[in-house]
Amino acid sequence: MHERPPHLLLLGGTAEAAALARALSERFGDRLSVTYSLAGRAAPRARPPGRLRIGGFAGPEGLAVFLRDEGVRLLVDATHPFAARMSRNAHIACEVTGTPRLTLRRPAWEPQPGDDWHEVDDVAEAAEAAARLGRRAFITLGTADLAPFRDRPGFTYVVRMMDPPDDAEDDLPVGAAVVGGRGPFTVDDEGSLMRTHGVDVLVTKASGGTATRAKLDAARHLGLPVVLIRRPAPEPGTLVETVDEALDWIASVARLD
C-alpha cells in the first residue's frame, strides 16, 4: 500500500500564488497533494493545478479544524500583502495545530529617482494627504476603502474596478469616474488614463511586485505625487520573496528531494 502524498494548503489569490501552484505541479507532480484556497472575492483567470477551494474558513478556529480534518502537513500563505486578517488567522491556526507555515510575500517597491511618494498608515490618512496634494485622485484601493474620500468639497476621484457593475457610479459622489480593467497594465496605459481623466495625484497601497508597478512609473513620468499606504507587518515566521525559495522550503519540510 502506497503512502499518501503530503497535503499542502496554499492560501492564494495573487500572481505569486498562481505561479507557485504551477511550479509545485511541475516539480513534484503527484508526490505532493495541493489544495489552492481562494477567499472567493474574484474568480481566478485560470484554474490552478490541484484541488481548488473557494470560500472562507470562519476564522482561525475554522482553519484549524480544516487543517486537522484534511490532514494538511504544511501551509503556504501567498495571500496579498494587505490580507492581514487571513495571514493572522493562518498564523494562529498553524500554531494551534503545529502545522509548518511559510509566507510567500512579493518584494516591496523601492522609490526611484524622481518619485514623489507620501507614505501613510491607513486609508483615512491617505484621504487627508490626497486632498492636500491634489484635486482629482486616481484611487486604486477598491470601493470598500472609498468612504474617507467622499464629501470633500472640490475633491473628486477616478476609481478602477476589475468588473464595474452597471450601477457602480450610484455609490460614488458627483464628479467621480469609474474605469474598468484588470492588470497588468503598461506605463503608457496608466499615463494615458491619468492624462485623460485629469488626475493630479495617485493613491494606492504599497502592494509591491511587478504586476501593478506601472502606475507608479507613470506617475513619476508625469510628475504626479503618490500617496502610498504602508504594508502591514508580516506575521512572525519564515518568509520568502520568490517562488524558487518557496519550492526549496516545501521540498525540505515535506522531504520531497
Side-chain angles (χ1 to χ4, degrees), residues 11-12 34 62 110 123 149 195 216 222 251 257:
L11 303 180
V34 178
E110 297 292 338
V123 175
F149 295 89
R195 288 191 298 268
L216 300 177
L222 294 173
D257 285 346

Side-chain angles (χ1 to χ4, degrees), residues 67-114:
L67 296 177
R68 292 192 184 102
D69 288 352
E70 298 296 324
V72 173
R73 287 265 307 277
L74 59 168
L75 180 149
V76 175
D77 177 4
T79 57
H80 193 276
F82 281 81
R85 179 178 295 178
M86 186 66 249
S87 292
R88 179 61 178 164
N89 289 348
H91 179 196
I92 295 171
C94 287
E95 286 289 307
V96 169
T97 60
T99 305
R101 174 181 56 89
L102 176 74
T103 298
L104 171 58
R105 199 181 213 210
R106 65 184 67 158
W109 289 323
E110 297 292 338
Q112 304 298 313

Side-chain angles (χ1 to χ4, degrees), residues 11-23:
L11 303 180
T14 61
E16 294 77 19
L20 178 58
R22 294 190 296 270

Side-chain angles (χ1 to χ4, degrees), residues 232-244:
E235 291 296 317
T238 306
L239 182 148
V240 298
E241 292 186 336
T242 69
V243 167
D244 286 342

